[in-house]
Amino acid sequence: MKPTRFETAIAIIDKKNAEDPNNYQVSGLEYPKELLYSQRMTRKLLQFDPNASKALQISARAQHICRWKIGRKEFPMDRVGYLKWREELKKMHAELTGEILEQVGFDAQFVDRVQKIILKKLIKKNEESQTLEDVICLVFLDYYFDEFAAKHTDEKIIDILKKTWVKMSDTGHAAALKIPFSDKSLALVKQAIS
């Protein structure tokens, strides 16, 4: 049976992310970092919203496509530089994803919808952009938070958690509070949201 356009798009996104030269270790196994991240995004999205549209599923899978190609060090190492880097990444992710979707035969309207979700246009107003933001935050909290928290002061972590919390919906908050945090991480989360 011939794969659908959706399946082909996901396979191409995975192939591109599999080229990530950075590896991430899980249970003693090495994975290309962005391939693992994109698969975690899909898993978390389908847990959070089992009826997620194909557009949203593609957006989640491609949210970090080829992220390693624009290095953080290419921008000033301050808050403004960080935000500029993030904007450049979002644009690249949206453009690459759009090219893939056109290549496999999706129409311009679908491509535009996916790109707007990835760019998180009208967050808080566009339900799919908000769901993507919730899933991004949930993946961070579930898979990367403990490791991240170990590298920074509690004050910095609480500040980041507060900023993360503001971006999330009430449904996202409820899902976050079900994550099996370590005692230390749970204490930081509680401090941040109190």
Side-chain angles (χ1 to χ4, degrees):
M1 221 167 88
K2 192 174 174 227
T4 63
R5 285 180 308 187
F6 172 76
E7 290 165 339
T8 306
I10 294 290
I12 295 169
I13 292 163
D14 283 355
K15 188 171 182 284
K16 287 196 177 290
N17 276 333
E19 295 167 9
D20 189 350
N22 306 296
N23 287 324
Y24 197 88
Q25 237 187 27
V26 181
S27 306
L29 297 172
E30 296 236 324
Y31 298 90
K33 187 177 173 190
E34 295 309 340
L35 178 64
L36 177 67
Y37 177 81
S38 68
Q39 291 169 346
R40 285 173 164 175
M41 284 290 293
T42 292
R43 194 176 317 126
K44 189 62 74 181
L45 171 65
L46 295 175
Q47 286 168 1
F48 184 70
D49 181 3
N51 300 313
S53 69
K54 296 286 189 247
L56 185 49
Q57 289 183 53
I58 289 168
S59 303
R61 193 67 159 231
Q63 202 256 331
H64 271 187
I65 190 167
C66 298
R67 185 183 175 96
W68 66 92
K69 291 190 175 181
I70 301 177
R72 172 67 184 96
K73 290 182 175 74
E74 293 175 34
F75 296 85
M77 297 306 283
D78 56 16
R79 178 98 182 123
V80 173
Y82 172 75
L83 294 173
K84 195 163 174 20
W85 172 62
R86 292 285 301 271
E87 276 308 304
E88 286 302 310
L89 281 170
K90 277 199 284 191
K91 275 192 244 167
M92 179 189 71
H93 301 322
E95 281 168 19
L96 280 174
T97 307
E99 287 164 15
I100 291 167
L101 295 177
E102 284 168 8
Q103 181 187 326
V104 301
F106 280 101
D107 64 34
Q109 194 178 356
F110 185 87
V111 172
D112 184 58
R113 180 176 163 197
V114 169
Q115 288 181 317
K116 280 189 174 133
I117 297 169
I118 290 173
L119 291 166
K120 291 185 274 192
K121 294 281 184 198
L122 301 174
I123 196 161
K124 299 280 184 196
K125 289 182 185 155
N126 177 304
E127 199 177 313
E128 290 185 312
S129 292
Q130 183 58 57
T131 299
L132 181 65
E133 187 62 60
D134 281 332
V135 171
I136 291 164
C137 295
L138 291 168
V139 165
F140 166 68
L141 292 168
D142 200 359
Y143 295 105
Y144 302 98
F145 180 67
D146 283 339
E147 182 189 343
F148 182 80
K151 296 176 186 166
H152 301 282
T153 64
D154 287 0
E155 291 74 29
K156 182 168 183 176
I157 294 303
I158 289 166
D159 182 53
I160 287 167
L161 283 168
K162 282 180 178 176
K163 288 174 182 162
T164 300
W165 208 251
V166 167
K167 293 179 191 173
M168 297 174 80
S169 67
D170 292 343
T171 314
H173 293 158
L177 293 172
K178 290 179 187 152
I179 292 171
F181 291 109
S182 67
D183 291 344
K184 167 114 170 87
S185 293
L186 184 59
L188 288 168
V189 169
K190 283 182 173 170
Q191 272 184 271
I193 66 174
S194 61

